[in-house]
């Protein structure tokens, strides 16, 4: 995302070429915690400092960095990193203030017309909830019976695609209210090459289904009502949603290979454990030992070249989008 964020920053500085901007507000939505929490805002600030010092080195610039995630996020960690970053920029002559904004990005988070730049990476493929119609019609995400699974796949994907479209449309319209006209948004999201095919949940359901069939470690009944709130849209779906919503011009949409097939199966299995463990443990009430078995089972499927997972790894891309608010 780095060059795309840099372009967006330059675009913002050029918005009114004769004016010296005195302040800028930058938000990262779904910042998480740990080393990545400030990665996006740091990239934007570095780009600003680089351009600003060269063009208008006499004027003070005030930057406000706002970091958002769900309320359970470790915001103490984020706050400490923010203070360290503030200290590291002290000698640059910029006034840098920060704020933490807990809450769902599917709700209003900021005042109207208050943001210049919105950033978000690897977060928007999480939908607000699994599709209600699948739950009420008791259609499992992953039928054990292959025939049934194939027959229902289209239905399941359609339901998730609709849910994603509803959530992403809402996200765009909320951010359009919060951004200033001409404001920028740069996001990255897990996507699929193929149209309406974002079955990223298979990576979890294939091993869980195996565990339910082989042992009683995972209950079949619980698996049938386990809906992962995740959808990886294609660039075509994203483009259509953005155009239909109508608040943003698309400057750029890039597809990047995830190169998952080049990563060792064991590393992939641990990475997916890290992402999905809280959700799996909460739903199935499983222990750490069972999660060890989850890693072993997923690794085995990856090593054996399970057709579903091989397809999935090849189909998954990271989509980077740069938008300007009309
Ligand atoms: C995979 S992490 C990405 C973290 C970081 N942006 C990065 O790229 O490394 C996804 C983050 O999105 C957050 N998230 C998911 N749904 C969200 C929502 N509705 N509102 C705010 N944050 C959300 C999660 O809590 C999680 O911290």
């Amino acid at each position: 995302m780095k060059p795309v964020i840099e372009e967006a920053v330059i675009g913002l500085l050029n918005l009114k070429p004769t004016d010296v901007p005195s302040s800028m507000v930058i938000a990262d939505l779904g910042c998480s915690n740990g080393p990545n929490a400030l990665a996006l805002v740091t990239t934007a600030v570095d780009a600003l400092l680089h351009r600003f010092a060269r063009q208008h080195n006499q004027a003070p610039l005030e930057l406000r960095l706002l970091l958002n995630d769900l309320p359970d996020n470790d915001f103490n960690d984020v706050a400490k990193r923010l203070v360290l970053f503030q200290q590291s920029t002290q000698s640059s002559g910029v006034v840098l203030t920060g704020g933490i904004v807990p809450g769902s990005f599917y709700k209003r988070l900021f005042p109207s017309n208050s943001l210049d730049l919105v950033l978000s990476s690897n977060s928007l493929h999480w939908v607000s909830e699994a599709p209600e119609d699948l739950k009420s019609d008791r259609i499992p995400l992953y039928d054990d019976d292959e025939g049934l699974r194939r027959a229902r796949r289209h239905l399941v994907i359609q339901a998730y695609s609709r849910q994603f479209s509803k959530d992403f449309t809402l996200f765009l319209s909320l951010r359009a209210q919060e951004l200033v006209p001409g404001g920028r948004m740069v996001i990255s999201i897990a996507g699929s090459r193929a149209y309406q095919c974002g079955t990223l949940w298979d990576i979890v359901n294939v091993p869980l289904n195996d565990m339910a069939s082989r042992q009683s470690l995972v209950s079949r009944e619980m698996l049938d009502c386990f809906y992962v709130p995740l959808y990886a849209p294609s660039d075509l779906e994203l483009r259509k949603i953005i155009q239909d919503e109508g608040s943003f011009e698309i400057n750029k949409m890039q597809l990047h290979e995830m190169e998952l097939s080049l990563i060792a199966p064991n590393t992939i299995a641990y990475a997916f454990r890290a992402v999905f463990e809280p959700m799996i443990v909460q739903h199935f009430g499983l222990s750490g030992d069972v999660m060890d078995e989850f890693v072993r089972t997923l690794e085995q499927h990856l090593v054996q070249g399970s057709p579903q997972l091989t397809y999935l790894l090849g189909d998954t891309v990271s989509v980077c989008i740069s938008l300007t608010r009309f």
Side-chain angles (χ1 to χ4, degrees):
M1 295 170 80
K2 192 173 177 214
V4 185
I5 293 175
E6 287 168 351
E7 273 171 27
V9 164
I10 293 167
L12 282 170
L13 286 175
N14 290 342
L15 206 55
K16 292 181 192 164
T18 51
D19 288 352
V20 176
S22 57
S23 67
M24 209 171 270
V25 182
I26 303 169
D28 179 359
L29 310 189
C31 65
S32 190
N33 51 70
N36 282 355
L38 262 61
L40 299 187
V41 290
T42 308
T43 303
V45 172
D46 286 349
L48 266 168
L49 292 181
H50 184 64
R51 299 288 300 188
F52 197 71
R54 270 199 290 146
Q55 290 186 358
H56 320 282
N57 55 1
Q58 74 286 12
L61 176 61
E62 297 192 0
L63 295 178
R64 183 152 175 74
L65 307 180
L66 300 172
L67 293 147
N68 155 264
D69 206 289
L70 291 169
D72 280 343
N73 189 46
D74 182 359
F75 284 113
N76 281 335
D77 172 83
V78 180
K80 286 176 199 148
R81 288 174 191 277
L82 203 48
V83 170
L84 283 176
F85 185 51
Q86 279 171 323
Q87 286 166 356
S88 75
T89 56
Q90 252 164 12
S91 59
S92 63
V94 173
V95 180
L96 199 140
T97 57
I100 278 163
V101 185
S104 169
F105 47 53
Y106 295 123
K107 297 243 158 66
R108 273 295 295 270
L109 293 167
F110 310 100
S112 303
N113 286 308
S114 65
L115 305 177
D116 296 285
L117 176 63
V118 169
L119 305 167
S120 178
S121 77
N122 272 315
S123 302
L124 277 156
H125 39 256
W126 292 104
V127 290
S128 64
E129 57 172 348
E132 201 48 56
D133 39 350
L134 292 184
K135 290 193 251 175
S136 56
D137 295 344
R138 294 173 179 264
I139 298 177
L141 206 47
Y142 196 92
D143 275 297
D144 183 36
D145 181 277
E146 196 182 337
L148 209 51
R149 189 165 68 238
R150 279 175 191 272
R152 286 172 160 177
R153 193 110 272 223
H154 187 62
L155 216 60
V156 173
I157 293 175
Q158 286 283 315
Y160 268 88
S161 174
R162 275 197 305 276
Q163 181 68 46
F164 177 81
S165 176
K166 188 173 144 208
D167 284 340
F168 193 51
T169 302
L170 176 63
F171 176 86
L172 292 171
S173 70
L174 295 170
R175 300 303 78 85
Q177 293 170 58
E178 295 163 351
L179 275 159
V180 296
R184 298 290 188 118
M185 181 144 75
V186 180
I187 60 179
S188 77
I189 177 169
S192 316
R193 274 180 220 284
Y195 183 67
Q196 290 194 336
C197 216
T199 60
L200 210 47
W201 59 75
D202 277 349
I203 202 100
V204 187
N205 281 346
V206 167
L208 287 176
N209 182 61
D210 187 352
M211 286 163 74
S213 310
R214 278 191 293 123
Q215 313 139 335
S216 53
L217 286 178
V218 169
S219 126
R220 169 71 53 199
E221 205 186 349
M222 292 303 280
L223 182 58
D224 284 348
C225 61
F226 182 52
Y227 296 95
V228 183
L230 191 69
Y231 183 71
S234 67
D235 55 333
L236 281 179
E237 286 172 276
L238 285 164
R239 206 172 273 281
K240 181 166 183 335
I241 297 167
I242 296 164
Q243 282 165 351
D244 288 351
E245 195 279 330
S247 304
F248 292 91
E249 180 189 354
I250 302 174
N251 307 315
K252 192 168 268 185
M253 192 175 291
Q254 297 174 331
L255 266 61
H256 297 278
E257 304 276 340
M258 293 282 238
E259 308 284 5
L260 289 176
S261 52
L262 300 180
I263 302 172
N266 180 270
T267 309
I268 296 183
Y270 274 109
F272 279 96
R273 175 179 184 168
V275 174
F276 290 101
E277 179 161 0
M279 200 178 292
I280 295 175
V281 166
Q282 192 191 13
H283 181 81
F284 294 94
L286 298 181
S287 65
D289 291 351
V290 182
M291 287 310 298
D292 291 343
E293 179 57 25
F294 169 84
V295 169
R296 274 192 293 275
T297 311
L298 175 54
E299 189 186 345
Q300 224 167 41
H301 278 273
L302 292 167
V303 170
Q304 287 164 358
S306 138
Q308 271 148 311
L309 297 188
T310 307
Y311 172 78
L312 196 61
L313 296 186
D315 186 56
T316 305
V317 289
S318 174
V319 187
C320 178
I321 311 167
S322 167
L323 303 171
T324 300
R325 149 107 147 82
F326 282 124

